[in-house]
Amino acid sequence: MNDVLSKEIKTLVSKVIKIPEDKIDPNANLFTDLGVDSLLGVEIFASLDKKYGLDVPENKLKDVTTLNDIINMVKGMMSDRPR
Amino acid sequence: MIEQDTSAYWRKLLALDQAQPANVLNKHRTWHRYLRPILYKLISLPLRVYCPEKVVGLENLPARPPYIIAANHASSMDYAVVAWAMGKRREELYPITTKLFYDHPFTSFWIKVAANAVRIDTEDEFFPALRAAAQVLKAGKAVYINPEGTRSVDGSILPFRPGVGVLAVETGVPIVPVYIAGTSKALPTGWIFPRPYPVAVSFGKAIAMEPYIEKKRSVQAYDVYKEVTEQLRQRIVALSRSPY
């Protein structure tokens, strides 16, 4: 399940930032290594909000810099959600 | 509608769908505003003689707010010359000011006299500034923005930050491009008093947001915000090349 989710998130991020999935190193800094600007960073959050109904707070933008950070954040938020 | 249509999240960040009291802007209209007519009368003389100011295209202002005034930024006198050029309509205008200037003992008084300034409690985050601007527009007033985000030292037009595109598209409010010429020479960074140099303010035709809102139905919102921002910059660059 978690691997499927990770793959889904990678696909979503790839679409938003318009970089092929195989070119995204999960540990690369999206902002300094892949040229994502802050607005596009918000667009990633907005797409996560749309797809998973996650109300990602804006201050997370400072903490989340890699694809792995995003995946961990989404997993954390989903596991914290009331069932 | 495309999968990436992310307006709902942006609207949430800008608090656009939250109710706000009708008098929400009153706190920005401090007692200092009673001194405002005197201030603009006082600066009227130097702006006519010492730094003669030419105003072009004032008819391009929308008949009534809300609208966004987006101007290039080269000097700390920029807001004052635009507000002076707008005459009594300057009362519609609410500039967004960081706490650095709003709270500074030297500038605080003059900022409040010059404008209904909206203070934001941050230096480097753009959400509070966008939210404050959205609040002004929702209240039916006009907001003054410098999309470069900082002063240009040599008067050249710097790249624009795309927040102005987000603000305009999500609020649906037109942007009036404004080019201010000569202020970088009249009052360069670090100077306290201006020196004689002619300044000019050109108001361009307002950029309507309806086509961009429509476009956002089929194109990623980010691309539309960037396009609006780039269009605005091109309009201001074009104004900078127009004779006045």
Side-chain angles (χ1 to χ4, degrees):
Chain A
M1 160 64 185
N2 273 352
D3 284 338
V4 173
L5 182 61
S6 302
K7 174 82 178 76
E8 257 183 25
I9 295 169
K10 188 171 190 180
T11 304
L12 180 145
V13 170
S14 158
K15 266 190 192 173
V16 173
I17 67 176
K18 299 189 180 92
I19 295 176
E21 289 182 47
D22 59 355
K23 298 270 191 265
I24 303 176
D25 174 350
N27 292 309
N29 187 307
L30 294 167
F31 302 97
T32 56
D33 299 335
L34 298 177
V36 171
D37 63 25
S38 54
L39 199 67
L40 204 47
V42 180
E43 279 286 282
I44 295 173
F45 280 20
S47 298
L48 293 170
D49 177 78
K50 187 173 172 67
K51 189 168 179 71
Y52 301 111
L54 295 173
D55 194 3
V56 188
E58 66 192 57
N59 57 13
K60 287 271 184 192
L61 198 59
K62 284 181 183 165
D63 309 327
V64 174
T65 56
T66 69
L67 177 63
N68 272 344
D69 289 343
I70 294 173
I71 291 168
N72 291 333
M73 179 189 75
V74 172
K75 286 177 180 171
M77 291 181 79
M78 287 177 110
S79 64
D80 290 345
R81 257 199 314 218
R83 292 170 193 274
Chain B
M1 192 168 285
I2 62 165
E3 190 185 334
Q4 295 101 325
D5 183 4
T6 50
S7 285
Y9 189 76
W10 278 106
R11 293 186 69 82
K12 200 158 48 183
L13 286 181
L14 298 184
L16 280 176
D17 300 317
Q18 281 178 22
Q20 65 183 27
N23 62 354
V24 69
L25 298 182
N26 283 0
K27 63 185 173 201
H28 309 302
R29 292 167 52 80
T30 62
W31 64 266
H32 303 78
R33 72 182 186 277
Y34 297 113
L35 301 174
R36 196 164 300 150
I38 301 169
L39 173 75
Y40 283 98
K41 277 267 186 255
L42 282 175
I43 65 174
S44 180
L45 189 66
L47 282 175
R48 284 181 194 281
V49 181
Y50 186 65
C51 297
E53 176 168 310
K54 188 174 172 91
V55 181
V56 177
L58 200 53
E59 69 281 3
N60 289 323
L61 278 185
R64 60 188 64 82
Y67 55 87
I68 299 166
I69 294 277
N72 63 306
H73 192 23
S75 165
S76 51
M77 72 187 288
D78 286 342
Y79 177 80
V81 297
V82 172
W84 182 81
M86 286 177 65
K88 288 185 177 170
R89 290 197 66 181
R90 73 175 73 94
E91 286 303 313
E92 298 169 1
L93 209 50
Y94 287 69
I96 311 297
T97 315
T98 66
K99 62 179 181 181
L100 178 71
F101 297 106
Y102 195 93
D103 295 347
H104 191 281
F106 179 72
T107 53
S108 177
F109 175 80
W110 294 108
I111 282 174
K112 290 172 194 166
V113 173
N116 301 316
V118 179
R119 178 191 184 279
I120 52 165
D121 193 23
T122 181
E123 291 300 318
D124 51 357
E125 294 174 47
F126 65 95
F127 292 117
L130 286 183
R131 264 194 294 272
Q135 191 178 57
V136 171
L137 297 172
K138 271 175 68 183
K141 296 296 182 183
V143 75
Y144 178 88
I145 286 178
N146 297 123
E148 291 157 288
T150 187
R151 269 179 289 185
S152 161
V153 177
D154 59 1
S156 62
I157 299 172
L158 303 174
F160 281 11
R161 296 183 183 179
V164 64
V166 177
L167 183 68
V169 172
E170 293 305 334
T171 58
V173 164
I175 313 176
V176 181
V178 174
Y179 178 67
I180 308 164
T183 53
S184 65
K185 298 278 197 308
L187 185 65
T189 302
W191 287 50
I192 295 175
F193 297 105
R195 59 187 173 189
Y197 197 88
V199 298
V201 184
S202 302
F203 295 84
K205 287 194 187 313
I207 305 171
M209 284 304 114
E210 286 77 6
Y212 296 103
I213 293 168
E214 186 60 34
K215 195 169 188 177
K216 197 159 58 77
R217 294 178 189 276
S218 55
V219 175
Q220 190 175 352
Y222 171 81
D223 293 329
V224 178
Y225 302 146
K226 294 279 274 193
E227 187 181 338
V228 168
T229 306
E230 192 46 42
Q231 171 71 4
L232 170 65
R233 188 174 183 279
Q234 283 174 16
R235 294 276 198 99
I236 294 179
V237 168
L239 287 172
S240 77
R241 291 173 181 156
S242 306
Y244 31 76

